[in-house]
Amino acid sequence: MRLGVNIDHVATIRQARRTVEPEPIYAALLVQEALADGITVHLREDRRHIQDQDVYQIKEIIKIPLNLEMSLNEEIVNIALDVKPHQATLVPENRQEITTEGGLDVDQNFDRVKKVVERLHKKGIIVSLFIDPVEWQIEQAKQTGADAIEIHTGSYANAKVDREREIELEKIINAAKYASSLGLHVHAGHGLTYENVKPIAAIKEIEELNIGHSIIAKSVFVGIKEAVRLMRQLIYEARWKLV
Ligand code: PXP
């Protein structure tokens, strides 16, 4: 299972003071040294954390794959086509939200999504769609020609009681199986922490996790390399049981 580390919140600290530190590129280098499989950043339309130059710099300097989270906004799509990240993950975006809320509604935005998938594919970029664990959305995702889906794990992560968490986990397991049966690669992310990652990491069909806030939060106390190592260890323990 690959671990993509989302470093948006390193930029959040920098932007809190509109200064030059901490630098996301330095975080990306340390994440790479910690043997993560990829760097994930979200270039938001409002540029609240990651800035355009961060994306270009990370793409130029970092050797491990860059996964660019992005909306369907034309300006952002054009930047993605210019940067040519290894992978683009299409997400919905609402300026009022604190973080991404809910998956992309592929059904409602089918033509727009399909066109963006085609344009990204022409530049050789792998495309993943961030969607809720719902069969209909998975079928639509497949129809757009996307290579992968990233299952939104937010409802699982936010569940208040065990029963609710079990129900959400079941939805994710079924969605992963279904997407895989359609030939889609399966990723997952959002709200994953050191406490809740293991049941998700134990889902055989999921090939990649993208985790940000929890790793950056822990790195404040233990450093980013140790924070990545601890997360990898939990993923390894969950996967090992599958062998
Ligand atoms: N995956 C996607 C598509 C996201 O939008 C985000 C948040 O930027 C993440 C993963 C990471 O979420 P978190 O910061 O809660 O780990």
Side-chain angles (χ1 to χ4, degrees), residues 55-68:
V55 183
Y56 281 96
Q57 204 175 29
I58 292 166
K59 174 66 195 343
E60 193 188 326
I61 295 174
I62 297 298
K63 302 275 185 292
I64 55 176
L66 168 64
N67 172 32
L68 180 65

Side-chain angles (χ1 to χ4, degrees), residues 13 26 61 66 86 90 94 128-129 133 169 218:
I13 299 174
Y26 189 48
I61 295 174
L66 168 64
H86 173 77
L90 303 184
N94 159 12
S128 176
L129 307 184
L169 181 62
K218 188 166 287 292

Side-chain angles (χ1 to χ4, degrees), residues 85-186:
H86 173 77
Q87 175 173 288
T89 300
L90 303 184
V91 302
E93 207 170 292
N94 159 12
R95 281 182 185 238
Q96 310 307 322
E97 68 193 0
I98 293 174
T99 181
T100 315
E101 294 164 351
L104 191 64
D105 190 341
V106 189
D107 189 32
Q108 286 298 307
N109 299 284
F110 187 83
D111 293 337
R112 259 183 97 194
V113 174
K114 191 163 186 284
K115 274 199 191 93
V116 172
V117 171
E118 284 165 6
R119 289 169 72 195
L120 293 166
H121 272 168
K122 276 197 189 125
K123 293 278 182 179
I125 302 165
I126 294 169
V127 187
S128 176
L129 307 184
F130 183 57
I131 58 173
D132 291 326
V134 175
E135 256 190 32
W136 179 241
Q137 295 288 350
I138 296 168
E139 279 161 17
Q140 295 292 297
K142 175 72 185 170
Q143 296 302 320
T144 65
D147 307 280
I149 58 161
E150 178 170 325
I151 301 176
H152 189 319
T153 50
S155 300
Y156 160 80
N158 294 332
K160 296 276 180 291
V161 292
D162 289 352
R163 184 73 197 115
E164 191 189 344
R165 194 170 307 108
E166 281 161 23
I167 291 169
E168 294 303 330
L169 181 62
E170 201 60 32
K171 286 187 199 164
I172 296 169
I173 293 170
N174 292 335
K177 282 195 170 65
Y178 185 57
S180 173
S181 77
L182 296 182
L184 287 161
H185 292 283
V186 188

